[in-house]
Amino acid sequence: MKDLKAIKGRYLIQRLIDQGEHEQQDFKFAISDARKIARSVSAFANNSGGSLLIGVKDNGTVAGVRNEEDVYVVEQAAQMYCDPPQPISFDAFKVDPGVIVIRATVPRADRRPVRVLEADGRKRAYYRVADENIVAHPLMVRAWMLRDAAADSHAPLLIDDMAGDILTAIRTADGPVDPETLPLTVHRSKAATNSLVARLISLGLIDIVFVNHSFRLVAPDDFSS
C-alpha cells in the first residue's frame, strides 16, 4: 500500500477518534472524489494544518481502508486539484487483524491561499472551522495575498488615516462586526473600506473569524475562539 509499512496503532487511533472531528482532524470512510478531498486539503492548509483519518466512519467506527487506491486519490487531490500543489505525508496503523487506518497529514501552507480547481473551472480557497470546510471569505484571501506580497518585496504595508476610523469602529463595537455593514459605519465606500480591512487583517491589527454561521471582524485582543 504505497510502500507504507503499517505499525501497531490501535490505542493511538482510538485516542484520536475519541477527540472527534475538529479543526485539525477529519474522518474519511471512503476516498472516491479527489476534488472533494482537495477541499479538505485546502481547508487544513489555509488554517493550521490537519489530518485525515482514512478508514474511519463519521460516527467514529473503525472500518479500515478498503482500497489502497485511497492513498493515490488523496495525493491526486493535493497535486492536481490544489493550487499550489500541497505536500501530504502518510502513516499506516494496524488497528485489528486485517484492519488498517491511514493518517494523511496536511501541513499549514507556507503560502496562502491554497485554492481548489472546481468542476466549474473556478478556483476557491477553503478554510477549516470546527469540523467543517467552508469557503474562505474574500477579505481573508486578500489579506493572505497582501502578506505574501509584502514578504516578497520586503516593503511595509502602508495604511492611511482612514484606518483609525475602522479600528475604532471594530474595537468599540458591542460584538463582532459584519464586514458588509462596516462601510456604512465608517462612512466610506465598500471598495475603500475592504481594501483597508484586508491590509489591517494582513498586519494582524484586526482579525476575521467565523461566528454564528458567518464571517465577522474583531479586534484580536477582544475575541477568543
Side-chain angles (χ1 to χ4, degrees):
M1 186 176 293
K2 192 185 161 37
D3 299 324
L4 287 176
K5 182 177 181 180
I7 62 175
K8 292 181 179 179
R10 180 176 183 178
Y11 297 108
L12 169 62
I13 294 300
Q14 189 57 56
R15 284 199 301 272
L16 294 176
I17 290 173
D18 289 343
Q19 297 173 11
E21 293 181 304
H22 53 75
E23 189 175 281
Q24 294 182 300
Q25 183 168 274
D26 202 1
F27 300 158
K28 293 295 180 185
F29 168 51
I31 304 292
S32 57
D33 187 335
R35 186 171 277 113
K36 184 175 181 180
I37 294 301
R39 293 171 189 152
S40 292
V41 175
S42 168
F44 282 138
N46 285 327
N47 197 333
S48 55
S51 297
L52 301 171
L53 290 186
I54 306 171
V56 178
K57 296 183 178 180
D58 287 343
N59 63 5
T61 299
V62 175
V65 176
R66 300 185 305 166
N67 192 319
E68 65 180 24
E69 290 299 316
D70 286 353
V71 172
Y72 295 98
V73 175
V74 174
E75 286 188 324
Q76 182 186 45
Q79 295 298 313
M80 295 181 61
Y81 291 104
C82 286
D83 180 29
Q86 296 300 297
I88 298 199
S89 60
F90 297 91
D91 299 288
F93 299 94
K94 295 179 182 177
V95 178
D96 286 311
V99 178
I100 293 176
V101 169
I102 292 179
R103 180 175 61 187
T105 302
V106 181
R108 175 189 173 98
D110 292 331
R111 299 181 68 88
R112 299 179 293 175
V114 175
R115 294 186 172 98
V116 175
L117 178 60
E118 302 284 11
D120 60 8
R122 297 182 182 181
K123 291 182 179 180
R124 294 186 180 91
Y126 290 81
Y127 193 73
R128 186 75 175 178
V129 175
D131 60 352
E132 294 184 89
N133 304 323
I134 62 174
V135 178
H137 194 282
L139 287 173
M140 182 180 285
V141 173
R142 193 169 177 179
W144 291 335
M145 296 174 71
L146 282 170
R147 191 174 297 152
D148 281 344
D152 289 342
S153 65
H154 304 290
L157 287 172
L158 301 178
I159 56 178
D160 59 26
D161 293 339
M162 180 182 154
D165 294 337
I166 293 175
L167 288 170
T168 298
I170 293 173
R171 287 173 177 169
T172 59
D174 292 335
V177 175
D178 184 350
E180 295 299 317
T181 63
L182 182 59
L184 296 175
T185 303
V186 298
H187 307 291
R188 304 283 181 167
S189 70
K190 183 175 181 179
T193 303
N194 285 350
S195 179
L196 258 180
V197 165
R199 288 183 180 273
L200 291 170
I201 294 172
S202 72
L203 292 168
L205 296 176
I206 60 176
D207 201 0
I208 184 166
V209 297
F210 195 76
V211 292
N212 297 326
H213 310 292
S214 61
F215 281 101
R216 292 290 187 267
L217 299 170
V218 297
D221 293 340
D222 298 335
F223 185 85
S224 176
S225 59

